[in-house]
Amino acid sequence: LTAVNVVGNADKSGPNDYNQKLAQRRANAVRDALVQRGVDANIISVSSRGEEEPLVETPDNVREPANRRAQISLQ
């Protein structure tokens, strides 16, 4: 394991700038949980996609739990 990428996502049930920050907090929480479980913090990168890459397409201001997630990829 040489790299762990964590990408936070949000649904469209709020303003875009808020969702961008929310998705970043979500990704940071996952990073913190991985570090607590022994993953080296130096190999973890964190980013936010906000509401830009939904799993389930919805109109604005629609809550969709499947879009509230953090994706983890390992390299």
Side-chain angles (χ1 to χ4, degrees), residues 1-9 30 34 39 43-47 49 70-75:
L1 186 64
T2 59
V4 178
N5 300 307
V6 181
V7 179
N9 297 273
V30 170
L34 291 170
V39 178
I43 68 167
I44 302 174
S45 66
V46 177
S47 63
R49 296 289 193 290
Q71 295 174 273
I72 303 169
S73 60
L74 310 174
Q75 298 175 343

Side-chain angles (χ1 to χ4, degrees), residues 38-57:
V39 178
D40 182 357
N42 294 317
I43 68 167
I44 302 174
S45 66
V46 177
S47 63
S48 172
R49 296 289 193 290
E51 58 185 53
E52 296 172 13
E53 296 179 5
L55 281 179
V56 178
E57 287 292 337

